[in-house]
Amino acid sequence: MQTELSKTLGVEHAVFGFTPFPAVAAAISRAGGFGVLGAVRYTAPDELKRDLDWIEAHVDGKPYGLDVVMPAKKVEGVTEADVEAMIPEGHRQFVKDTLAKYGVPVLAEGEASGWRITGWMEQVARNQLDVAFDYPIRLLANALGSPPADVVARAHERNVLVAALAGSARHAVKHKEGGIDIVVAQGYEAGGHTGDIASMVLTPEVVDAVAPLPVLAAGGIGSGQQAAAALALGAQGVWLGSIWLTTTEAELPSPKLIEKLLAAGSGDTVRSRALTGKPARQLRTEWTDAWDSADGPGTLPMPLQGLLVADAVSRIQKYEVEPLLGTPVGQIVGRMTSERSVQAVFDDLTRGFEEAVDRINRIAGRSGQ
């Protein structure tokens, strides 16, 4: 699965794996792909440094990258406390009532939420970059589009390529104009924040719109056959996220959540604003249903919604309240039916890719050439 981009980055397979787990990122790179560590959960620079040290020690010298969440435009002088004060009391009461309905215990006294939206604030991302640029990362990806121009320049000074996610050709063109090196065309099927256009339509549109920039296809991809299709549409690689959640190297906090993922079908996800305030694909649960119901107060815009539900999400996860328990995940969840190692996932990807290419060659009358 070699492309011009994979050769540039020195990886065997043009498979880019996004994950919040250092062990998964390192395993992806060791397997011949390109591991990308998601940094949004690191609110303390020392925590990110610890995990980058671990990756350095376990990646066997293979290349890897970092994914941050940074808005292109900066809002000055706004603190987390300022944002918290904007949350209406009625929404807070809705959270309390919903948790009480399902008997969700409170966190122990002094125990902080394990998930905060502060990772979405620009200064947090800049602090992460201050740490990351001391390591030999080869790629910096931004989940909120093009990062600020000074960040792009700083990356390029260190020979670090910059990638940005796009849900439409229009967004992709803006990335190209902003000096981005790689566009990740993320289709509607993807886990987390997505646009409205499916991967089969989006990928060739973005390829044409930003040529000759390399494009990675994302959204609903988890097999070698799908990877072959993405390359046939003009992509120079695939960007996979959800498929790694049920690998043995992943560190999901809840056995019940793993069970739910393994049992879910491709129709068991929903694009909901319940988690962050922006449409994000995730497992459909009674928690998402409550927020999407006409009887609810409606979700708040980002970042208010994320701050509002942070403690609730931590409580639901800690106590494994099954009806409410969910996670961002794409429609590829229907193929995630067993726990496998990262290497086993790669073996399936490469085998399926070869079978798909052979099949197309036979159809084109090129078999045996």
Side-chain angles (χ1 to χ4, degrees):
M1 297 174 65
Q2 282 271 308
T3 65
E4 183 179 344
L5 178 60
S6 66
K7 293 176 182 176
T8 297
L9 289 169
V11 294
E12 182 180 359
H13 304 298
V15 175
F16 294 72
F18 165 81
T19 175
F21 306 122
V24 176
I28 290 168
S29 290
R30 289 199 307 271
F34 190 98
V36 182
L37 179 66
V40 70
R41 68 190 180 102
Y42 295 98
T43 56
D46 287 347
E47 294 174 355
L48 178 59
K49 184 180 185 305
R50 175 201 64 205
D51 284 355
L52 289 176
D53 283 339
W54 190 94
I55 289 176
E56 273 290 299
H58 292 84
V59 81
D60 293 348
K62 303 293 180 64
Y64 62 94
L66 190 74
D67 180 281
V68 298
V69 178
M70 178 178 285
K73 295 181 179 179
K74 184 175 182 178
V75 179
E76 299 281 358
V78 178
T79 66
E80 182 178 346
D82 295 331
V83 178
E84 286 265 17
M86 301 177 190
I87 299 174
E89 184 56 37
H91 282 72
R92 296 187 187 276
Q93 189 61 49
F94 179 76
V95 170
K96 293 177 183 178
D97 291 345
T98 303
L99 296 179
K101 177 181 176 181
Y102 291 91
V104 182
V106 299
L107 296 174
E109 185 175 352
E111 184 176 1
S113 163
W115 181 84
R116 299 295 286 175
I117 202 68
T118 49
W120 296 85
M121 294 184 172
E122 180 182 344
Q123 190 53 52
V124 173
R126 287 185 177 274
N127 292 340
Q128 292 166 351
L129 294 178
D130 288 340
V131 172
F133 283 142
D134 286 336
Y135 292 81
I137 62 171
R138 295 295 311 281
L139 176 71
L140 173 66
N142 188 36
L144 280 186
S146 302
D150 69 295
V151 171
V152 176
R154 190 177 174 192
H156 287 166
E157 288 171 1
R158 291 163 173 78
N159 198 31
V160 175
L161 297 181
V162 181
L165 276 65
S168 71
R170 178 173 57 86
H171 292 154
V173 170
K174 288 184 177 180
H175 297 338
K176 182 179 181 181
E177 293 170 348
I180 297 302
D181 304 294
I182 303 167
V183 175
V184 181
Q186 186 183 47
Y188 171 85
E189 307 95 325
H193 296 125
T194 69
D196 301 311
I197 306 172
S199 298
M200 182 64 74
V201 175
L202 179 66
T203 301
E205 285 187 353
V206 171
V207 168
D208 290 344
V210 302
L213 283 188
V215 172
L216 301 176
I221 301 173
S223 72
Q225 292 87 345
Q226 291 168 312
L231 268 58
L233 293 173
Q236 287 203 30
V238 290
W239 177 277
L240 311 183
S242 297
I243 196 72
W244 315 113
L245 288 174
T246 52
T247 56
T248 53
E249 293 91 343
E251 303 164 17
L252 283 180
S254 164
K256 286 186 178 179
L257 179 55
I258 295 173
E259 291 175 7
K260 290 187 75 171
L261 287 169
L262 296 177
S266 56
D268 292 328
T269 68
V270 64
R271 283 173 79 239
S272 172
R273 298 177 183 268
L275 187 61
T276 68
K278 291 184 68 176
R281 187 170 297 285
Q282 55 202 281
L283 279 181
R284 181 178 180 180
T285 66
E286 293 184 31
W287 176 256
T288 61
D289 285 350
W291 281 103
D292 296 337
S293 169
D295 298 330
T299 56
L300 298 171
M302 180 185 283
L304 300 182
Q305 183 71 16
L307 283 170
L308 171 65
V309 305
D311 288 337
V313 170
S314 291
R315 289 165 60 184
I316 292 166
Q317 290 179 347
K318 176 177 180 177
Y319 298 109
E320 296 189 296
V321 183
E322 196 277 337
L324 306 180
L325 189 61
T327 185
V329 68
Q331 291 181 330
I332 197 62
V333 71
R335 295 184 64 97
M336 296 157 51
T337 57
S338 64
E339 291 188 77
R340 301 178 292 165
S341 68
V342 168
Q343 184 62 60
V345 172
F346 260 89
D347 290 343
D348 283 349
L349 284 168
T350 53
R351 182 168 49 249
F353 179 82
E354 291 172 356
E355 291 172 354
V357 171
D358 287 346
R359 183 163 54 249
I360 294 302
N361 280 335
R362 289 195 301 271
I363 292 171
R366 299 191 183 100
S367 181
Q369 294 185 12

